[in-house]
Amino acid sequence: MEKKPITLPYVWNTPVNCVHPLTAFPYPLGIAAQSITTCDYYFEGRLRNDGNRRCGFQYTLDGSGIFQDSGGEYEIGPGKGFLWQIDDPETIYYYPENSRKPWRFIFITFYNAMDMTMEMCSRFGHVYHLAPENPMIANLRSFSRFDGTMIEMSSGECLNLISGIFAELLASAQENVHESPSTSIARRVKKYIHEHLGDSFTLKDAADFLKISQEHLSRTFKKETGMSPVEYVKNEKIKMACELLKSSPLSCKEILTELGYENSSYFTRIFRKAVGKSPSEYRLKR
């Protein structure tokens, strides 16, 4: 039996109204975030009757989902996103039955960008890697402050927003062509860290994965980022903890577990040192 798409609650939702849109210019329809825990989240392009030449970009913050196209099936974990035409009959995306964590993501849908979307997907595929600190991702997340309110944007603002998304996706697709070996190592370490953010990080595991020595990995990463891999992991876990405390219903203990910490006292201590408040205080004063 075919699954039909259903609407599930948003963590936050910001619809956009483009004031006096220009015929040939792209414009966003809305930006939102969801936290999915049910297999009812299942979308097939061929079953969508709401596509109407709309396209979108969806980016994972935590957990993972599955995206499928004619080329195969891809796990969309933290730091990954997919670009797609909403009613493309060859695409499917869903929350897998064996998932243990919520799939937390942000997404934007837009109109009048069909040609750009099709060319990007044709040349580089649907799936892209972007670090959480990428300015485009940070910009999309900033729309959470308008939750529930339709915002108005000029045609120029709409064009800048959509063009910025495509510019970052294009840069991500092409970065391997121009980056130095040390930059490549740092990028791959960051990618590994974000894909295993809920695990206990060890330098040995990362070095084994990249097939380089621990010393070379640590030295190169610090040269490129100014911090050790362990420091980077700690900072990223603090960022994720802040996001979960602000936007998820998980308890502090559950968040600690999600991030791979077993010692609550240690987690509270490093969180307070970084943020100036305990996790519970941060949640109350957010």
Side-chain angles (χ1 to χ4, degrees):
M1 186 174 71
E2 291 183 340
K3 290 188 177 182
K4 295 184 178 180
I6 64 171
T7 301
L8 294 170
Y10 297 104
V11 175
W12 55 265
N13 180 28
T14 303
V16 178
N17 176 41
C18 182
V19 181
H20 306 304
L22 298 179
T23 305
F25 280 35
Y27 57 87
L29 301 170
I31 307 155
Q34 288 185 287
S35 181
I36 302 300
T37 58
T38 172
C39 296
D40 288 335
Y41 185 86
Y42 180 94
F43 292 92
E44 287 191 55
R46 67 185 182 88
L47 300 179
R48 301 292 292 266
N49 56 15
D50 58 343
N52 192 26
R53 295 179 60 82
R54 289 191 299 141
C55 301
F57 174 67
Q58 184 160 309
Y59 177 84
T60 297
L61 301 171
D62 192 34
S64 64
I66 300 296
F67 179 84
Q68 183 178 316
D69 62 17
S70 58
E73 188 175 274
Y74 312 90
E75 181 178 3
I76 310 298
K80 294 182 183 179
F82 58 90
L83 176 71
W84 87 112
Q85 175 189 336
I86 287 175
D87 57 2
D88 181 347
E90 295 186 338
T91 61
I92 301 172
Y93 55 101
Y94 59 93
Y95 182 76
E97 293 182 0
N98 60 352
S99 286
R100 297 181 180 179
K101 297 176 64 174
W103 184 15
R104 297 178 52 254
F105 54 80
I106 53 174
F107 68 94
I108 178 171
T109 54
F110 40 85
Y111 191 72
N112 263 7
M114 178 74 74
D115 290 343
M116 288 194 294
T117 299
M118 291 178 66
E119 183 167 3
M120 285 287 291
C121 294
S122 174
R123 293 192 61 182
F124 304 111
H126 290 87
V127 179
Y128 296 82
H129 299 260
L130 293 164
E133 63 268 24
N134 182 283
M136 180 267 283
I137 299 300
N139 186 36
L140 292 180
R141 295 176 74 167
S142 73
F143 282 87
S144 63
R145 68 186 187 275
F146 303 115
D147 180 28
T149 302
M150 177 172 283
I151 61 171
E152 293 190 341
M153 299 177 69
S154 68
S155 292
E157 290 172 325
C158 291
L159 178 62
N160 285 337
L161 177 61
I162 304 303
S163 297
I165 292 172
F166 279 91
E168 290 297 331
L169 295 181
L170 183 60
S172 170
Q174 295 179 329
E175 67 180 354
N176 290 339
V177 177
H178 304 291
E179 66 185 1
S180 67
S182 60
T183 302
S184 174
I185 288 173
R187 175 183 58 79
R188 290 161 62 203
V189 172
K190 286 182 179 181
K191 178 176 179 291
Y192 175 87
I193 288 170
H194 287 292
E195 290 178 349
H196 298 82
L197 204 56
D199 303 331
S200 296
F201 174 82
T202 69
L203 198 60
K204 181 180 184 304
D205 288 343
D208 288 347
F209 179 79
L210 269 66
K211 295 181 172 56
I212 58 176
S213 71
Q214 296 181 50
E215 294 76 16
H216 183 48
L217 185 155
S218 185
R219 182 172 59 250
T220 302
F221 190 88
K222 187 160 188 176
K223 176 184 175 183
E224 288 292 321
T225 67
M227 65 181 76
S228 71
V230 173
E231 290 172 322
Y232 182 81
V233 169
K234 183 180 70 175
N235 289 345
E236 292 305 301
K237 288 194 175 190
I238 293 296
K239 289 180 186 177
M240 182 59 71
C242 289
E243 180 66 27
L244 290 171
L245 287 166
K246 287 190 294 184
S247 62
S248 83
L250 297 176
S251 68
C252 291
K253 184 177 180 180
E254 288 171 327
I255 290 172
L256 182 149
T257 302
E258 287 288 322
L259 293 173
Y261 287 105
E262 296 180 358
N263 188 321
S264 59
S265 298
Y266 172 73
F267 174 72
T268 300
R269 185 167 66 253
I270 63 170
F271 188 93
R272 185 187 293 276
K273 184 176 180 180
V275 180
K277 300 180 178 71
S278 70
S280 57
E281 290 170 340
Y282 181 85
R283 168 165 273 173
L284 288 172
K285 296 180 180 180
R286 68 185 188 275

